[in-house]
Amino acid sequence: MPDTPLHLGVLLDGAGRHPAAWREPQARPTDLFTAGYWAELVAEAEQGLLDLVTLDDTLGLQSADAFALDPRTDQVRGRLDASMLAARIAPLTSHVGILPTVVVTHTEPFHVSTTIATLDYVSSGRGGVQVRVSGRAEEAQLFGRRTLPTDRDELLAELFDEAADAVEVIRRLWDSWEDDAIIRDAATGRFVDRERLHYIDFEGRHFSVRGPSITPRPPQGQPIVAALAHRAEPFALVGTSADLGFVTPRDTADARTTVGAIREAQAAAGREAETVHVWADLTVVLDDDASAARDRLARLDSVAAYTDDARVFAGSPAELADLMADLRTAGLSGFRLRPAVLPDDLRQVTRGLVPELQRRGQFRTGYEASTLRGLLGLPRPADRYATVVRDRAGSTR
Amino acid sequence: MSRRQMHLAAHFPGVNNTTVWSEPESGSQIEFSSFAHMAQTAERARFDFMFLAEGLRLREQNGAIYDLDVVGRPDNATILAAVAAVTEKLGLAATISSTFNEPYEVARRLASIDHLSGGRAAWNVVTSWDKFTGENFRRGGYLAQGDRYLRATQFLDTVMTLLDSWRGDEIVADKATGEFLRDADAGRFDVHVDQFDIRGRFSVPRSPQGRPVVLQAGDSDEGREFAAASADAIFTRHGSLEAGQAFYADVKRRLAAYGRTEDQLKILPATTFALGDTQAEAEERGRQIRRQQVSGQTALRFLEQVWNRDLSHLDPDGPLPDIDPLVVDGDTPRVSQGRAADRMYRDPLATAREWRERAAANNLSIRDLMTEVTSRQSFVGTPSSVAEQMERFVEQRASDGFILVPHITPTGLDEFADKVVPILQERGSFRADYTGSTLRDHLGLAPLDARASV
Ligand SMILES: Cc1cc2nc3c(=O)[nH]c(=O)nc-3n(C[C@H](O)[C@H](O)[C@H](O)COP(=O)(O)O)c2cc1C
């Protein structure tokens, strides 16, 4: 059993991950577009001492068809912009990390950077982002500015290359204000020391961004950047650019291979000394009675056929804890659980799984930090531009 | 007695010299607690909305970042979504550029804020177009000056098409029958105009207001026409009674051509204020604030913005320079970059002439003159005098209300809320309490029919 702390997050999406979730007795499908619905879910996650929640999002309307809009009327359709939702929830909570999913294809890295910096301010240091690419033709048409390659390999290479550039820009902008740039020096009349504001001068294949940000460096310095990764290109993105990768192993051996691929990319990017978390995603249907959980999943599946990119687990919290212990030996530092039904399976996580893990001495019994970086064991990083100033000032370092 | 009702909004202190940052009580311009404080003060005083300005590149002058004013702001939409969590009725107005965004993402954000605030979202559509700001964006964003209202008009229309793509009755969510959507085509849109060629299905169901309240801030003929056609309120710099009346008449006159009535477009000038227990005390306070707002250095920077030259060698307490302003065409970078207000002086040579005469006639130094010419409409006096002055503007059709610009973050509205608002309420010129829950309700705008534009 690894003795590093176990981290836990949940993915929140609509009425739950399962397409039949909205028809369950506890589901509140008509409340999906209200702040109150999400506030209760995130408060529940915080009650369970979870590290973070991710708020799922896509640019376009949901579709069961991976390549086109579908005409279905029997599943949840419509959602709120996850960044706005994250900001709306942040002031109502005090410890849990909040990561909206943000698409970095088509969108402006400058806006993404200031949005997440602002989320970090309104949450007092609990902000982050799960970056996502969009390769769907019908999503490109929502912006109408670009035709994506049709060849799949070419497409993925382009999208993830662009995503890495976007994260680079987002991060440089966060550092473009040194922490002490605001001086309010009444004697000289200067509000900022412009020597501590930096142009980022990024020039890449997809965009150029001059900087500096319009937003001062956020409380965490660098909010958390996460990405979901299923194959080589996103593994590389996690290794080079992210603090946290969500992966979808079928079993422990698969997890080991995936973690290995990410560590390789991390080393190739010269980031061996940094902590890059790799968590496994699991979709969960939980009940104290394992067979009741399996029956429930069967019932859900009979209402709506369902396959997920992540492994689907149905059983008791204790069984799940066993599975997690086994998977962790592959080098995973945590899990992002995707409740199949909300709020039912979220409550099973916070009120069933978490106490079980605590009994086993594997999970925190109180929040030990007030920032998300703190919860993830990451120090507040130095500003990449700060040394320049110290050198110029002629200090000895 | 039924007095003409006024509307009131609070401008969160911005990044220009109106905001005084050197006072001991000046707080953070970026921490959430500052936004929460001002919003809660505005809501306590039953204001219509809180307003946030936007600038997407830090201002520069003489090739360096401008450091004399407050610098650094959050992302507007994100802050307002958070402010929705700590307020219940207050309208939330975000300035969002129509140049450096795409309609689909702006529509998503606005519809989401409207849902998350229970119908309190407003959007100030600005047409900033400079190449300088464009350097921060993928699209570059440079528009020929004449194209910016074309883009703004098409941008606004497209956002409205997206928002109207859901009527509001599509979600059935009948657990028993398994019907979630009534309409398999909900959210469908198709827009093919010069600036935008987009189609698909919009992802956010219809929000409580249907559309956010639309504000416009722009002063040219095209800007006024744009407002008359499409805006619910105008944010203007025309503050004095006479200038306000002229602007008011001009804009309201344009409405009929669009089949709109005068009460469908509110005119809200930006105004500052200074209060005191006596008129003399208030005036002294007002003078002090102006001295703080226009330091010698700031005065020189203002002069440079019009002269379009580096004038840092001048003495701010001395006379205006003999050299004339440097006139360049609209595409040539100026000594000052990233300021919308630079466009206020369209004929710098004429401005210089006029200022020289004024300085000579009144024996004014650069700083004295700049303090005069950059002053905005300001209500100065005892609380009851200020209340009366404001009522007079509204009664005499110089405005439908005001966007108040406090000079201190975040407590600059407190005194106004505590002392002036109760008088306005007692005199019956401002609401004693909210009567509705949406911003449209506060502004007295009729609820929208779904698909109003189709
Ligand atoms: C009162 C007022 C406030 C404005 N606020 C902003 C702002 O916050 N951000 C911005 O980019 N432009 C702002 N503008 C600039 C306008 O959107 C517009 O770009 C500028 O006034 C030029 O348009 P015009 O020629 O129609 O006046 C403001 C203009 C006015 C008059």
Side-chain angles (χ1 to χ4, degrees), chain A residues 333-344:
Chain A
S333 54
F335 296 85
R336 179 173 66 165
L337 304 175
R338 306 173 174 182
V341 174
L342 292 170
D344 310 40

Side-chain angles (χ1 to χ4, degrees), chain A residues 117-136:
Chain A
T118 303
L119 174 62
D120 207 39
Y121 277 103
V122 302
S123 64
S124 303
R126 295 179 288 123
V129 59
Q130 180 187 332
V131 295
R132 166 171 289 169
V133 301
S134 162
R136 299 169 78 123

Side-chain angles (χ1 to χ4, degrees), chain A residues 265-287:
Chain A
Q266 188 184 345
R271 298 177 73 211
E272 298 96 328
E274 294 175 38
T275 300
V276 175
H277 284 280
V278 184
W279 296 4
D281 271 16
L282 295 170
T283 296
V284 294
V285 182
L286 297 172
D287 200 296

